[in-house]
Amino acid sequence: MEKPLEKCLDEIAHSTGVSGVLCADHKGLCLGVRGKASNASSGTVAALAERVAMLEPGSLDPVILLESDNSQCLIHRNSGITLAVYKSPETS
Amino acid sequence: MAEEMRRNLMELMKSTDDVLGIIVTDRDGVPILKVAEEEAPELGLRPTFISTFNIATDQAGKLGMGRNSRMVCVYGRYQVVHFNHLPMVVTVIASSVANTGQLLALDSQMAPLLASLTNVVDV
């Protein structure tokens, strides 16, 4: 049942510049994780997506970019599923 | 020091959305440290409820997957997350709409506090 999701996470994780992927459900539980992403972050990622969506009620869920000195994290929620993609700086 | 620990736990509870109570007990449900909002279900804070986790975690440990470390129980209006740190047990009571992943992440945030409390409980 989870094979399509696993395949999708594998494809994203093998994309250029991607160092990690995390997928969380609407309750903040981890559906899948690859690379440097940690399943312990699933709750925070889902909570962030929910909070940021409140900035513009009624609009489509935004894409969140978290940037640090050595990496980026892109977070987007769609239909209750939140995806976080960790990227390394050389391809940002 | 006890008051400082209680304040620490209170801050943790208030910093996480929809958390109604956090109770640190021994395996029999006797409270060591407790913080709770007024909306917390009173029955859920009692030793008779919390001590049922002891039986459940023992049984869960016999399923062939090793020691049971965490348990999430979701009810109609509330959800309860138990953490097994025997001889201590941590029980987090939250609204059913709370972010379960964030509740589970409280385990690592409470580690320093639990380390201080370990000496309190007789083995």
Side-chain angles (χ1 to χ4, degrees):
Chain A
M1 184 171 76
E2 70 280 5
K3 278 197 170 46
L5 172 65
E6 299 283 324
K7 186 166 172 257
C8 185
L9 291 176
D10 286 333
E11 279 174 15
I12 298 170
H14 288 118
S15 303
T16 313
V18 174
S19 55
V21 191
L22 180 143
C23 185
D25 72 357
H26 69 287
K27 297 294 283 182
L29 297 170
C30 182
L31 295 172
V33 65
R34 296 287 186 276
K36 76 168 198 180
S38 163
N39 61 1
S41 312
S42 60
T44 307
V45 162
L48 259 174
E50 191 173 339
R51 280 287 187 189
V52 171
M54 292 179 190
L55 289 173
E56 285 190 5
S59 301
L60 290 172
D61 285 337
V63 177
I64 305 155
L65 170 63
L66 301 173
E67 210 161 8
S68 68
D69 287 342
N70 50 16
S71 65
Q72 289 182 336
C73 177
L74 289 148
I75 301 169
H76 182 51
R77 185 175 68 168
N78 193 334
S79 304
I81 304 293
T82 305
L83 192 72
V85 178
Y86 295 77
K87 296 184 72 175
S88 52
E90 43 274 12
T91 57
S92 305
Chain B
M1 187 169 161
E3 191 52 40
E4 193 183 322
M5 286 187 188
R6 197 177 171 282
R7 261 201 311 272
N8 204 336
L9 202 59
M10 179 70 83
E11 270 175 38
L12 203 56
M13 181 182 75
K14 297 234 182 248
S15 68
T16 314
D17 285 344
D18 299 311
V19 173
L20 301 173
I22 304 178
I23 311 107
V24 182
T25 68
D26 69 359
R27 61 185 296 145
D28 297 320
V30 177
I32 298 168
L33 206 57
K34 178 164 79 173
V35 292
E37 303 278 13
E38 277 180 24
E39 299 86 9
E42 201 266 328
L43 287 173
L45 302 172
R46 290 189 188 168
T48 41
F49 174 76
I50 295 170
S51 58
T52 58
F53 170 70
N54 185 24
I55 306 160
T57 198
D58 280 348
Q59 292 300 322
K62 295 173 187 173
L63 293 172
M65 293 187 291
R67 185 182 73 95
N68 168 243
S69 56
R70 301 183 288 183
M71 195 176 289
V72 179
C73 309
V74 183
Y75 301 91
R77 289 168 57 197
Y78 306 103
Q79 59 180 301
V80 183
V81 181
H82 298 276
F83 301 109
N84 180 355
H85 291 283
L86 284 175
M88 285 184 294
V89 170
V90 181
T91 302
V92 178
I93 301 176
S95 160
S96 58
V97 300
N99 185 315
T100 312
Q102 277 203 303
L103 301 183
L104 291 167
L106 285 174
D107 194 14
S108 57
Q109 294 179 55
M110 282 190 284
L113 178 67
L114 293 175
S116 310
L117 285 172
T118 306
N119 298 330
V120 173
V121 182
D122 290 332
V123 175

